[in-house]
Amino acid sequence: MNIIRKRSWEMPERLATPEAAFLNRRAFLAGAAGAGAILSGVAMPRPAFAEGDPSAGLYPAARNDAYVIEREITPERLTSRYNNFYEFGSHKQIASAAQALKIRPWEVRIDGLCDNPQTIAIDDLLKKMKLEERLYRHRCVEAWSMAVPWTGFPLADLVSLAGPKAGAKYLRMETFLDPDVASGQRADWYPWPYVEGLTLAEATNELAFMVTGVYGKPLAKQYGAPLRLAVPWKYGFKSIKSIVRFSFTEERPQSFWEQIAASEYGFWANVNPQVPHPRWSQAREQLLATGEHVPTRLFNGYGEQVAGLYKGLEGENLYM
Ligand SMILES: Nc1nc2c(c(=O)[nH]1)N[C@H]1C(S)=C(S)[C@@H](COP(=O)(O)O)O[C@H]1N2
Ligand SMILES: [Mo]
């Protein structure tokens, strides 16, 4: 039997699972038992991406030098084995379980208040978009962070494909729902499927990025293949994985974590070191790469691009 030892870069349990702490004791114990069962099978190396992925020829894409960072890229061997993907378990070692996800065929539905509602196969969507690589920081609400070379296309390009109508104010995004494949979705105390949302101004900001690859290859399943979001100025839970549906709405969508604990995980969730989470400080973050603790920056260092989005919204709970 293989035993996963705690690595230096892992959080103490108390920091690593705050999102689970709201759970009642029975639910929490049920989740922990499931985690043990999955953990015992994790130690074999896994393919970095699905064998025979039809999009493999699109990678690597040219790097866009407008999006580089001062931090070193976090090694793939770390980011591919430390993932938040509650569909496959409420702990970080879900990479093995996530390989059960079928990512072809994969259809994406675009609906709601838009001129061109459609259902499009992921490979047809990829053909319409120009892929590029961007180096982004990623700051989890749990106070760990990484730096990743994502490949993908601007979310703004998907928004213009859809053609939002004048009344559309928000973009709602939804993850797949398949409890047969995703054991976490059999835990019915969570409001599945995972949902996230952005204002249209946020969704069309240059930084909002649809991710289809990482480390110069198609996205491995544990990162949220075949299509996930990266909004690097917000806490990581906003960057929804394995998206199957985009809806343009007039009403603000209620996201997954907001439904569970609105006072801890709000709609805006912009990174701010001066606004603590109700149960811990956000002043610093631990780098997944080295275990080092460094100061967290306002908007995760992306204020130049995004601060303007929040003018006139000062009354909102922007940093929670
Ligand atoms: N569908 C879905 N998307 C999700 C999550 C999740 O549990 N389910 N976790 C979020 C959180 S809390 C973080 S920090 C990032 C983690 O992305 P990574 O595993 O690629 O590091 O995914 C986000 N997107
Ligand atoms: Mo997170």
Side-chain angles (χ1 to χ4, degrees):
M1 185 167 122
N2 298 303
I3 308 239
I4 299 288
R5 280 183 299 119
K6 253 209 156 32
R7 297 180 182 87
S8 58
W9 42 267
E10 286 183 10
M11 303 290 108
E13 201 58 21
R14 155 180 68 79
L15 281 182
T17 59
E19 287 152 341
F22 72 91
L23 291 172
N24 67 44
R25 191 177 145 75
R26 200 184 111 260
F28 186 79
L29 289 177
I38 292 164
L39 274 176
S40 60
V42 163
M44 290 299 290
R46 295 287 150 183
F49 60 89
E51 300 289 340
D53 188 310
S55 68
L58 300 173
Y59 303 86
R63 182 173 293 176
N64 183 338
D65 289 321
Y67 306 98
V68 291
I69 49 184
E70 76 300 340
R71 277 179 198 167
E72 275 192 51
I73 292 176
T74 311
E76 182 178 9
R77 73 186 147 77
L78 300 181
T79 65
S80 63
R81 294 176 200 176
Y82 188 85
N83 304 96
N84 260 340
F85 202 168
Y86 272 63
E87 283 79 350
F88 296 100
S90 58
H91 53 89
K92 300 295 189 283
Q93 284 76 29
I94 54 76
S96 174
Q99 304 314 310
L101 181 62
K102 293 230 179 341
I103 57 171
R104 293 295 188 290
W106 189 276
E107 293 200 321
V108 177
R109 183 165 142 202
I110 303 174
D111 62 12
L113 299 169
C114 63
D115 291 330
N116 309 308
Q118 57 194 284
T119 298
I120 184 168
I122 184 69
D123 294 301
D124 294 332
L125 179 63
L126 284 168
K127 270 181 223 146
K128 289 181 192 282
M129 299 295 166
K130 191 170 176 293
L131 299 188
E132 62 183 50
E133 182 178 79
R134 299 183 177 191
L135 306 186
Y136 271 3
R137 288 182 290 273
H138 175 99
R139 170 59 159 82
C140 178
V141 72
E142 299 163 341
W144 57 267
S145 68
M146 59 183 186
V148 190
W150 299 123
T151 303
F153 56 87
L155 177 54
D157 291 352
L158 187 142
V159 171
S160 47
L161 179 75
K165 291 191 189 291
K169 296 202 177 75
Y170 298 92
L171 180 60
R172 179 186 183 278
M173 289 157 277
E174 193 180 290
T175 296
F176 72 89
L177 179 63
D178 189 351
D180 289 340
V181 161
S183 59
Q185 292 183 334
R186 287 173 230 155
D188 58 12
W189 54 86
Y190 290 111
W192 306 112
Y194 200 98
V195 168
E196 262 304 338
L198 297 170
T199 65
L200 267 201
E202 291 176 324
T204 53
N205 182 272
E206 56 162 308
L207 279 180
F209 200 49
M210 288 314 317
V211 173
T212 61
V214 69
Y215 300 99
K217 295 172 289 192
L219 206 56
K221 294 175 182 180
Q222 61 269 34
Y223 297 101
L227 186 67
R228 63 91 57 88
L229 178 67
V231 278
W233 70 98
K234 292 178 177 286
Y235 291 116
F237 65 86
K238 296 292 294 183
S239 291
I240 180 175
K241 294 179 167 185
S242 302
I243 302 169
V244 295
R245 186 176 176 194
F246 295 86
S247 308
F248 293 86
T249 67
E250 192 179 348
E251 297 282 299
R252 188 159 107 182
Q254 245 216 339
S255 48
F256 180 81
W257 285 111
E258 196 182 3
Q259 289 177 60
I260 293 166
S263 61
E264 305 203 357
Y265 311 102
F267 171 79
W268 297 99
N270 295 307
V271 175
N272 187 337
Q274 300 190 334
V275 179
H277 183 274
R279 290 182 283 122
W280 61 89
S281 166
Q282 295 290 23
R284 299 172 77 75
E285 65 203 62
Q286 188 171 23
L287 305 182
L288 201 53
T290 60
E292 203 184 337
H293 292 266
V294 302
T296 286
R297 295 159 69 188
L298 181 60
F299 295 117
N300 200 22
Y302 294 103
E304 198 180 310
Q305 290 96 331
V306 302
L309 292 170
Y310 306 104
K311 296 241 162 68
L313 291 171
E314 291 80 6
E316 295 278 328
N317 221 343
L318 292 173
Y319 305 105
M320 190 65 67

